Coordinates of all heavy atoms in Angstrom, one line a residue:
M1 N -102.6 -65.1 70.0 CA -102.0 -64.0 69.2 C -103.1 -62.9 68.9 O -104.1 -63.2 68.6 CB -101.5 -64.7 67.8 CG -101.0 -63.8 66.9 SD -100.2 -64.4 65.4 CE -101.2 -65.8 65.0
I2 N -102.6 -61.7 69.0 CA -103.3 -60.5 68.7 C -103.0 -59.9 67.4 O -101.7 -59.8 67.3 CB -103.2 -59.4 69.9 CG1 -103.7 -60.0 71.2 CG2 -104.0 -58.3 69.6 CD1 -103.3 -59.1 72.5
V3 N -103.9 -59.7 66.6 CA -103.6 -59.3 65.2 C -104.4 -58.0 65.0 O -105.6 -57.8 65.3 CB -104.1 -60.4 64.3 CG1 -103.9 -59.8 62.8 CG2 -103.2 -61.6 64.4
V4 N -103.8 -57.0 64.1 CA -104.5 -55.9 63.7 C -104.5 -56.0 62.1 O -103.4 -56.3 61.5 CB -103.8 -54.5 64.0 CG1 -104.5 -53.4 63.2 CG2 -103.8 -54.3 65.5
L5 N -105.7 -56.2 61.5 CA -105.7 -56.3 60.0 C -105.6 -55.1 59.3 O -106.4 -54.0 59.6 CB -107.0 -57.1 59.7 CG -107.2 -58.5 60.2 CD1 -108.4 -59.1 59.9 CD2 -106.1 -59.4 59.6
D6 N -104.9 -55.1 58.3 CA -104.8 -54.0 57.3 C -106.1 -53.6 56.7 O -107.0 -54.6 56.5 CB -103.8 -54.3 56.2 CG -103.6 -53.1 55.2 OD1 -102.9 -52.2 55.6 OD2 -104.2 -53.1 54.1
T7 N -106.5 -52.5 56.4 CA -107.9 -52.2 55.9 C -108.1 -52.8 54.6 O -109.2 -53.2 54.3 CB -107.9 -50.6 55.8 OG1 -107.7 -49.9 57.0 CG2 -109.3 -50.2 55.1
N8 N -107.1 -52.9 53.8 CA -107.2 -53.6 52.5 C -107.8 -55.1 52.7 O -108.4 -55.7 51.8 CB -106.0 -53.7 51.7 CG -105.6 -52.4 51.2 OD1 -106.4 -51.5 50.8 ND2 -104.3 -52.0 51.4
I9 N -107.4 -55.8 53.7 CA -107.8 -57.0 54.0 C -109.3 -57.1 54.3 O -110.1 -57.9 53.7 CB -106.9 -57.8 55.1 CG1 -105.5 -57.9 54.8 CG2 -107.6 -59.1 55.6 CD1 -105.2 -58.9 53.7
V10 N -109.7 -56.2 55.2 CA -111.1 -56.2 55.7 C -112.0 -55.7 54.4 O -113.1 -56.4 54.1 CB -111.4 -55.3 56.7 CG1 -112.9 -55.1 57.1 CG2 -110.5 -55.7 58.0
A11 N -111.6 -54.8 53.7 CA -112.3 -54.3 52.5 C -112.4 -55.3 51.4 O -113.5 -55.7 50.9 CB -111.8 -53.0 52.0
S12 N -111.3 -56.0 51.2 CA -111.3 -57.1 50.2 C -112.2 -58.2 50.6 O -113.0 -58.7 49.8 CB -109.9 -57.5 49.9 OG -109.9 -58.4 48.7
A13 N -112.1 -58.5 51.8 CA -112.8 -59.7 52.2 C -114.5 -59.5 52.3 O -115.3 -60.4 52.1 CB -112.5 -60.1 53.7
T14 N -114.8 -58.1 52.4 CA -116.2 -57.7 52.3 C -116.8 -57.9 51.0 O -117.9 -58.3 50.9 CB -116.3 -56.2 52.7 OG1 -115.9 -56.1 54.0 CG2 -117.6 -55.7 52.6
F15 N -115.9 -57.9 49.9 CA -116.6 -57.8 48.6 C -116.2 -59.1 47.9 O -116.7 -59.5 46.8 CB -116.2 -56.7 47.8 CG -116.8 -55.4 48.3 CD1 -116.2 -54.8 49.2 CD2 -118.0 -55.1 47.7 CE1 -116.9 -53.5 49.8 CE2 -118.8 -54.1 48.3 CZ -118.1 -53.3 49.3
W16 N -115.0 -59.7 48.2 CA -114.5 -60.9 47.5 C -114.1 -62.0 48.3 O -113.8 -61.8 49.6 CB -113.4 -60.5 46.4 CG -113.7 -59.5 45.6 CD1 -114.3 -59.7 44.3 CD2 -113.5 -58.0 45.7 NE1 -114.6 -58.5 43.7 CE2 -114.2 -57.4 44.5 CE3 -113.0 -57.2 46.6 CZ2 -114.1 -56.1 44.3 CZ3 -112.9 -55.9 46.4 CH2 -113.6 -55.3 45.2
R17 N -114.0 -63.3 47.7 CA -113.5 -64.4 48.4 C -112.0 -64.4 48.3 O -111.4 -63.6 47.5 CB -114.1 -65.7 47.9 CG -115.6 -65.8 48.0 CD -116.2 -66.1 49.4 NE -115.2 -67.2 50.0 CZ -115.0 -67.4 51.3 NH1 -115.3 -66.5 52.2 NH2 -114.3 -68.3 51.7
G18 N -111.3 -65.5 48.9 CA -109.9 -65.6 48.6 C -109.2 -65.4 49.9 O -109.9 -65.5 51.1
K19 N -107.9 -65.1 49.9 CA -107.0 -65.0 51.1 C -107.5 -64.1 52.1 O -107.5 -64.2 53.4 CB -105.6 -64.9 50.7 CG -105.1 -66.2 50.0 CD -103.6 -66.0 49.7 CE -103.0 -67.3 49.0 NZ -101.7 -67.3 48.7
P20 N -107.9 -62.9 51.6 CA -108.5 -61.8 52.7 C -109.6 -62.5 53.4 O -109.6 -62.3 54.7 CB -108.8 -60.6 51.8 CG -107.9 -60.7 50.7 CD -107.8 -62.2 50.5
A21 N -110.7 -63.1 52.8 CA -111.7 -63.6 53.5 C -111.3 -64.8 54.5 O -111.8 -65.0 55.5 CB -112.7 -64.2 52.4
H22 N -110.3 -65.5 54.0 CA -109.8 -66.6 54.8 C -109.1 -66.1 56.1 O -109.1 -66.8 57.2 CB -108.8 -67.4 54.0 CG -109.3 -68.3 52.9 ND1 -108.5 -68.9 52.0 CD2 -110.7 -68.4 52.5 CE1 -109.3 -69.5 51.1 NE2 -110.6 -69.1 51.2
C23 N -108.5 -64.8 55.9 CA -107.9 -64.2 57.2 C -109.0 -64.0 58.2 O -108.9 -64.3 59.4 CB -107.2 -62.9 56.8 SG -105.6 -63.2 56.0
L24 N -110.2 -63.4 57.6 CA -111.3 -63.1 58.7 C -112.0 -64.4 59.2 O -112.4 -64.5 60.4 CB -112.3 -62.2 58.0 CG -111.7 -60.8 58.1 CD1 -112.2 -60.0 56.9 CD2 -112.0 -60.1 59.5
E25 N -112.0 -65.5 58.4 CA -112.6 -66.6 58.7 C -111.7 -67.4 59.9 O -112.3 -68.0 60.8 CB -112.8 -67.7 57.6 CG -113.9 -67.1 56.7 CD -113.8 -67.9 55.3 OE1 -112.9 -68.6 55.0 OE2 -114.6 -67.5 54.5
A26 N -110.5 -67.2 59.7 CA -109.5 -67.7 60.7 C -109.9 -67.0 62.2 O -109.8 -67.7 63.1 CB -108.1 -67.5 60.4
W27 N -110.1 -65.7 62.0 CA -110.4 -65.0 63.4 C -111.8 -65.6 63.8 O -111.8 -65.8 65.0 CB -110.6 -63.5 63.0 CG -111.2 -62.8 64.1 CD1 -110.9 -62.5 65.3 CD2 -112.5 -62.0 63.9 NE1 -111.8 -61.7 66.0 CE2 -112.7 -61.4 65.2 CE3 -113.4 -61.8 62.8 CZ2 -113.9 -60.7 65.4 CZ3 -114.4 -61.0 63.1 CH2 -114.7 -60.4 64.4
V28 N -112.7 -65.8 63.1 CA -114.0 -66.3 63.5 C -113.9 -67.6 64.1 O -114.5 -67.9 65.1 CB -115.1 -66.3 62.3 CG1 -116.2 -67.1 62.7 CG2 -115.5 -64.9 62.0
N29 N -112.9 -68.4 63.6 CA -112.6 -69.8 64.0 C -111.7 -69.8 65.3 O -111.2 -70.9 65.6 CB -112.1 -70.7 63.0 CG -113.1 -70.9 61.9 OD1 -114.4 -71.0 62.3 ND2 -112.8 -71.0 60.7
G30 N -111.4 -68.7 65.9 CA -110.5 -68.6 67.0 C -109.0 -68.7 66.8 O -108.4 -69.0 67.9
K31 N -108.7 -68.6 65.6 CA -107.1 -68.7 65.4 C -106.3 -67.5 65.9 O -105.1 -67.7 66.2 CB -106.8 -68.9 63.9 CG -107.5 -70.0 63.3 CD -107.0 -71.3 63.7 CE -107.6 -72.5 63.0 NZ -107.4 -73.7 63.6
Y32 N -107.0 -66.4 66.1 CA -106.3 -65.2 66.7 C -107.4 -64.3 67.1 O -108.5 -64.4 66.9 CB -105.5 -64.5 65.6 CG -106.2 -63.9 64.4 CD1 -106.7 -62.7 64.4 CD2 -106.2 -64.7 63.1 CE1 -107.3 -62.2 63.2 CE2 -106.9 -64.2 62.1 CZ -107.4 -62.9 62.3 OH -108.1 -62.5 61.1
E33 N -106.9 -63.3 68.0 CA -107.7 -62.2 68.5 C -107.6 -61.0 67.7 O -106.4 -60.7 67.3 CB -107.3 -61.9 70.0 CG -108.2 -60.8 70.5 CD -107.8 -60.5 72.0 OE1 -107.2 -61.3 72.7 OE2 -107.7 -59.3 72.3
L34 N -108.6 -60.4 67.2 CA -108.7 -59.2 66.3 C -108.6 -58.0 67.2 O -109.6 -57.9 68.1 CB -109.8 -59.3 65.4 CG -109.9 -58.0 64.4 CD1 -108.6 -58.0 63.5 CD2 -111.0 -58.1 63.4
A35 N -107.8 -57.1 67.1 CA -107.6 -55.9 67.8 C -108.0 -54.7 66.9 O -107.5 -54.6 65.7 CB -106.2 -55.6 68.4
I36 N -108.8 -53.8 67.4 CA -109.1 -52.5 66.6 C -109.1 -51.3 67.6 O -109.0 -51.5 68.9 CB -110.6 -52.7 66.0 CG1 -111.6 -52.8 67.1 CG2 -110.7 -53.8 65.0 CD1 -113.0 -52.7 66.7
S37 N -109.0 -50.2 67.0 CA -109.2 -48.9 67.7 C -110.2 -48.2 67.0 O -110.7 -48.5 65.9 CB -107.9 -48.2 67.8 OG -107.5 -47.8 66.6
H38 N -110.8 -47.1 67.5 CA -111.8 -46.3 66.9 C -111.2 -45.7 65.5 O -111.9 -45.9 64.6 CB -112.2 -45.1 67.8 CG -113.1 -45.5 68.9 ND1 -114.2 -46.2 68.9 CD2 -112.8 -45.5 70.2 CE1 -114.8 -46.5 70.0 NE2 -113.8 -46.1 70.9
P39 N -109.9 -45.2 65.4 CA -109.5 -44.8 64.2 C -109.4 -45.8 63.1 O -109.6 -45.7 62.0 CB -108.1 -44.1 64.5 CG -108.2 -43.8 65.9 CD -109.0 -44.8 66.5
I40 N -109.0 -47.0 63.5 CA -108.9 -48.3 62.6 C -110.3 -48.6 62.2 O -110.5 -48.8 60.8 CB -108.2 -49.4 63.3 CG1 -106.7 -49.1 63.5 CG2 -108.4 -50.7 62.5 CD1 -106.0 -50.1 64.3
L41 N -111.3 -48.7 63.0 CA -112.7 -49.0 62.6 C -113.2 -47.9 61.7 O -113.8 -48.3 60.6 CB -113.5 -49.2 63.8 CG -114.9 -49.5 63.7 CD1 -115.0 -50.9 62.9 CD2 -115.7 -49.7 65.0
A42 N -112.9 -46.7 61.9 CA -113.4 -45.6 61.1 C -112.9 -45.8 59.7 O -113.4 -45.6 58.7 CB -113.1 -44.3 61.6
E43 N -111.5 -46.2 59.6 CA -111.0 -46.3 58.4 C -111.6 -47.6 57.5 O -111.8 -47.5 56.4 CB -109.4 -46.6 58.4 CG -108.7 -46.7 57.2 CD -107.2 -46.8 57.2 OE1 -106.7 -46.1 58.1 OE2 -106.6 -47.5 56.5
Y44 N -111.8 -48.7 58.4 CA -112.4 -49.8 57.6 C -113.8 -49.3 57.1 O -114.1 -49.6 55.9 CB -112.8 -50.9 58.7 CG -111.6 -51.7 59.3 CD1 -111.9 -52.5 60.4 CD2 -110.3 -51.6 58.8 CE1 -110.8 -53.3 60.9 CE2 -109.2 -52.5 59.3 CZ -109.6 -53.1 60.4 OH -108.6 -54.0 61.0
E45 N -114.6 -48.6 57.9 CA -115.9 -48.3 57.5 C -115.9 -47.3 56.2 O -116.7 -47.4 55.4 CB -116.6 -47.5 58.6 CG -117.0 -48.4 59.7 CD -117.5 -47.6 60.9 OE1 -117.2 -46.7 61.2 OE2 -118.4 -48.4 61.6
E46 N -114.9 -46.4 56.2 CA -114.7 -45.4 55.1 C -114.4 -46.1 53.8 O -115.1 -45.9 52.8 CB -113.8 -44.4 55.5 CG -113.7 -43.2 54.5 CD -112.7 -43.3 53.4 OE1 -111.7 -44.0 53.7 OE2 -113.0 -42.9 52.3
V47 N -113.5 -47.1 53.8 CA -113.0 -47.6 52.7 C -114.2 -48.7 52.2 O -114.3 -48.7 50.9 CB -111.7 -48.4 52.9 CG1 -111.3 -49.4 51.8 CG2 -110.7 -47.4 53.1
V48 N -114.8 -49.3 53.0 CA -115.9 -50.3 52.7 C -117.0 -49.4 52.1 O -117.6 -49.8 51.0 CB -116.4 -51.2 53.8 CG1 -117.6 -51.8 53.5 CG2 -115.3 -52.3 54.2
A49 N -117.4 -48.2 52.5 CA -118.4 -47.5 52.0 C -117.9 -47.0 50.6 O -118.9 -47.0 49.7 CB -118.7 -46.3 52.9
R50 N -116.8 -46.7 50.4 CA -116.3 -46.2 49.0 C -116.4 -47.3 48.0 O -116.8 -47.1 47.0 CB -114.9 -45.6 49.2 CG -114.7 -44.3 48.7 CD -113.2 -43.7 48.7 NE -112.1 -44.7 48.8 CZ -111.1 -44.7 49.6 NH1 -111.1 -43.7 50.6 NH2 -110.2 -45.7 49.7
L51 N -116.0 -48.5 48.5 CA -116.1 -49.7 47.5 C -117.6 -50.0 47.3 O -117.8 -50.5 46.1 CB -115.4 -50.8 48.2 CG -113.8 -50.8 48.1 CD1 -113.2 -52.0 48.8 CD2 -113.3 -50.7 46.6
A52 N -118.3 -49.9 48.2 CA -119.9 -50.1 48.0 C -120.3 -49.2 46.8 O -121.3 -49.7 46.0 CB -120.6 -50.0 49.3
L53 N -120.0 -47.9 46.9 CA -120.4 -47.0 45.7 C -119.8 -47.5 44.4 O -120.4 -47.3 43.4 CB -120.0 -45.6 46.2 CG -120.7 -45.1 47.3 CD1 -120.1 -43.7 47.7 CD2 -122.1 -44.9 47.1
R54 N -118.5 -48.0 44.4 CA -117.9 -48.3 43.2 C -118.4 -49.6 42.6 O -118.5 -49.8 41.5 CB -116.5 -48.5 43.6 CG -115.6 -48.6 42.3 CD -114.1 -48.5 42.7 NE -113.4 -48.7 41.5 CZ -112.0 -48.6 41.5 NH1 -111.3 -48.7 42.7 NH2 -111.2 -48.7 40.4
Y55 N -118.9 -50.6 43.6 CA -119.5 -51.9 43.1 C -120.9 -52.0 43.8 O -121.1 -52.9 44.7 CB -118.5 -52.9 43.6 CG -117.1 -52.9 43.1 CD1 -116.1 -52.4 43.9 CD2 -116.8 -53.3 41.9 CE1 -114.7 -52.2 43.3 CE2 -115.6 -53.2 41.4 CZ -114.6 -52.6 42.2 OH -113.2 -52.6 41.6
P56 N -121.8 -51.2 43.3 CA -123.1 -51.2 43.9 C -123.8 -52.6 43.8 O -124.7 -52.9 44.6 CB -123.9 -50.2 43.2 CG -123.2 -50.0 41.9 CD -121.7 -50.3 42.2
N57 N -123.5 -53.3 42.7 CA -124.2 -54.7 42.6 C -123.5 -55.9 43.1 O -123.9 -57.0 42.9 CB -124.5 -54.9 41.1 CG -125.3 -53.9 40.5 OD1 -126.3 -53.3 41.1 ND2 -124.9 -53.3 39.2
K58 N -122.4 -55.6 43.8 CA -121.6 -56.7 44.4 C -122.1 -57.0 45.7 O -122.2 -56.2 46.6 CB -120.1 -56.3 44.4 CG -119.2 -57.3 44.9 CD -118.8 -58.3 43.8 CE -117.8 -59.2 44.2 NZ -117.8 -60.5 43.6
E59 N -122.4 -58.4 45.9 CA -122.9 -58.8 47.2 C -121.7 -58.6 48.2 O -120.6 -58.9 47.9 CB -123.3 -60.3 47.1 CG -123.9 -60.8 48.5 CD -124.3 -62.3 48.2 OE1 -124.6 -62.7 47.1 OE2 -124.5 -62.9 49.2
Q60 N -122.1 -58.2 49.4 CA -121.1 -57.9 50.5 C -121.4 -59.0 51.6 O -122.4 -59.4 52.0 CB -121.4 -56.6 51.0 CG -121.2 -55.4 50.2 CD -121.3 -54.1 50.8 OE1 -121.0 -53.9 51.9 NE2 -122.0 -53.1 50.0
T61 N -120.2 -59.3 52.2 CA -120.2 -60.0 53.5 C -120.0 -59.0 54.7 O -119.2 -58.2 54.5 CB -119.0 -61.1 53.7 OG1 -119.0 -62.0 52.5 CG2 -118.9 -61.7 54.9
D62 N -120.9 -59.0 55.6 CA -120.9 -57.8 56.5 C -119.9 -58.2 57.7 O -120.2 -58.5 58.8 CB -122.4 -57.8 57.0 CG -122.4 -56.5 58.0 OD1 -121.6 -55.6 58.1 OD2 -123.5 -56.4 58.6
W63 N -118.6 -58.1 57.3 CA -117.6 -58.2 58.2 C -117.6 -57.2 59.2 O -117.2 -57.3 60.4 CB -116.3 -58.4 57.5 CG -116.0 -59.7 56.9 CD1 -115.8 -60.0 55.6 CD2 -116.0 -61.1 57.6 NE1 -115.7 -61.2 55.4 CE2 -115.8 -62.0 56.6 CE3 -115.9 -61.4 58.8 CZ2 -115.6 -63.4 56.8 CZ3 -115.7 -62.8 59.0 CH2 -115.6 -63.6 58.1
L64 N -118.0 -55.9 58.9 CA -117.9 -54.8 59.8 C -118.7 -55.0 60.9 O -118.3 -54.7 62.1 CB -118.3 -53.4 59.1 CG -117.2 -53.1 58.1 CD1 -117.9 -51.7 57.4 CD2 -115.9 -52.7 58.8
S65 N -120.0 -55.5 60.8 CA -120.9 -55.8 62.0 C -120.2 -56.8 63.0 O -120.1 -56.8 64.1 CB -122.0 -56.4 61.5 OG -122.8 -55.4 60.9
A66 N -119.6 -57.9 62.4 CA -119.0 -59.0 63.3 C -117.7 -58.3 63.9 O -117.5 -58.6 65.1 CB -118.5 -60.1 62.3
I67 N -116.9 -57.4 63.1 CA -115.8 -56.8 63.9 C -116.2 -55.9 65.0 O -115.7 -55.9 66.1 CB -114.9 -56.1 62.8 CG1 -114.3 -57.1 61.9 CG2 -114.0 -55.1 63.4 CD1 -113.7 -56.4 60.6
K68 N -117.1 -55.2 64.8 CA -117.7 -54.2 65.9 C -118.3 -55.0 67.0 O -118.1 -54.6 68.2 CB -118.9 -53.3 65.3 CG -118.5 -52.3 64.3 CD -119.7 -51.6 63.7 CE -119.3 -50.6 62.8 NZ -120.5 -50.0 62.1
Q69 N -118.8 -56.1 66.8 CA -119.4 -57.0 67.9 C -118.3 -57.7 68.7 O -118.4 -57.9 69.8 CB -120.4 -58.0 67.4 CG -121.7 -57.2 67.1 CD -122.8 -58.3 66.6 OE1 -122.5 -59.3 66.0 NE2 -124.0 -58.1 67.0
A70 N -117.3 -58.3 68.0 CA -116.4 -59.2 68.7 C -115.0 -59.0 68.7 O -114.3 -59.5 69.5 CB -116.6 -60.5 67.9
A71 N -114.6 -57.9 68.0 CA -113.1 -57.6 68.1 C -112.9 -57.0 69.4 O -113.7 -56.3 69.9 CB -112.8 -56.6 66.9
Q72 N -111.6 -57.0 69.7 CA -111.1 -56.4 71.0 C -110.8 -54.9 70.7 O -109.9 -54.7 69.9 CB -109.9 -57.1 71.6 CG -109.5 -56.6 73.0 CD -110.4 -56.5 74.0 OE1 -111.2 -57.7 74.2 NE2 -110.7 -55.6 74.8
L73 N -111.6 -54.0 71.3 CA -111.3 -52.6 71.2 C -110.1 -52.1 72.1 O -110.2 -52.4 73.4 CB -112.6 -51.7 71.5 CG -112.4 -50.3 71.4 CD1 -112.2 -49.8 69.9 CD2 -113.7 -49.6 71.8
Y74 N -109.2 -51.5 71.5 CA -108.0 -51.0 72.3 C -108.2 -49.4 72.2 O -108.4 -48.8 71.1 CB -106.6 -51.4 71.8 CG -106.4 -52.9 72.1 CD1 -106.9 -53.9 71.3 CD2 -105.7 -53.2 73.3 CE1 -106.7 -55.2 71.8 CE2 -105.5 -54.6 73.5 CZ -105.9 -55.6 72.9 OH -105.8 -56.9 73.1
L75 N -107.9 -48.8 73.3 CA -107.7 -47.3 73.2 C -106.2 -47.0 73.4 O -105.7 -47.2 74.5 CB -108.6 -46.7 74.5 CG -110.0 -47.0 74.5 CD1 -110.6 -46.6 75.7 CD2 -110.7 -46.6 73.3
P76 N -105.6 -46.5 72.3 CA -104.3 -46.1 72.4 C -103.9 -45.2 73.4 O -104.7 -44.1 73.7 CB -103.9 -45.7 71.0 CG -105.1 -46.1 70.1 CD -106.4 -46.1 71.0
A77 N -102.9 -45.4 74.2 CA -102.4 -44.5 75.2 C -101.8 -43.2 74.4 O -101.1 -43.2 73.3 CB -101.3 -45.0 76.1
T78 N -101.9 -42.1 74.9 CA -101.3 -40.9 74.7 C -99.8 -40.8 75.0 O -99.5 -41.1 76.2 CB -102.0 -39.6 75.1 OG1 -103.3 -39.6 74.7 CG2 -101.5 -38.4 74.5
L79 N -99.0 -40.6 74.1 CA -97.5 -40.6 74.4 C -97.2 -39.2 74.9 O -97.6 -38.2 74.5 CB -96.8 -40.8 73.1 CG -96.8 -42.1 72.4 CD1 -95.9 -42.2 71.0 CD2 -96.3 -43.2 73.3
A80 N -96.4 -39.3 76.0 CA -95.9 -38.0 76.5 C -94.8 -37.4 75.6 O -94.2 -38.0 74.9 CB -95.2 -38.3 77.8
P81 N -94.9 -36.0 75.6 CA -93.9 -35.4 74.6 C -92.6 -35.6 75.1 O -92.3 -35.6 76.3 CB -94.4 -34.0 74.8 CG -95.3 -33.7 75.9 CD -95.8 -35.1 76.3
S82 N -91.7 -35.8 74.1 CA -90.2 -36.1 74.5 C -89.6 -34.8 74.8 O -89.9 -33.7 74.2 CB -89.5 -36.9 73.4 OG -89.6 -36.0 72.2
T83 N -88.7 -34.7 75.7 CA -87.9 -33.4 76.2 C -86.6 -33.4 75.7 O -85.9 -34.5 75.3 CB -88.0 -33.4 77.7 OG1 -87.4 -34.4 78.2 CG2 -89.5 -33.0 77.9

């Protein structure tokens, strides 16, 4: 199964335990393949950076590095204009 995770799942798992972290742990354990694109990765990074400023003393799990290394990168095809 190929999955795209909502940014809220990745951001939440970065700072807190619970179901979002369990979603990423399932990926690490081979339960599904994680799909990303450059725009999705940029959004993950932007939201995590914002939360890091908001919670400077909160310990982070570095899911972004794992995602960059092991997630499957997809390059979305450009849609032809409809006529």
Side-chain angles (χ1 to χ4, degrees):
M1 171 174 31
I2 300 172
V3 174
V4 176
L5 291 176
D6 183 81
T7 302
N8 293 317
I9 297 295
V10 175
S12 187
T14 298
F15 292 92
W16 298 279
R17 297 289 310 147
K19 290 183 181 183
H22 295 175
C23 289
L24 282 151
E25 289 164 359
W27 165 61
V28 168
N29 291 324
K31 302 291 184 190
Y32 62 88
E33 180 181 327
L34 181 58
I36 60 170
S37 65
H38 290 294
I40 290 170
L41 184 58
E43 184 175 321
Y44 289 171
E45 292 172 327
E46 190 269 325
V47 172
V48 167
R50 240 185 12 234
L51 285 173
L53 292 174
R54 190 172 186 184
Y55 301 101
N57 298 321
K58 186 77 174 148
E59 187 175 335
Q60 297 180 36
T61 301
D62 190 9
W63 286 114
L64 289 177
S65 290
I67 290 169
K68 288 177 190 177
Q69 287 183 326
Q72 181 64 42
L73 179 64
Y74 287 85
L75 303 174
T78 304
L79 295 176
S82 59
T83 54

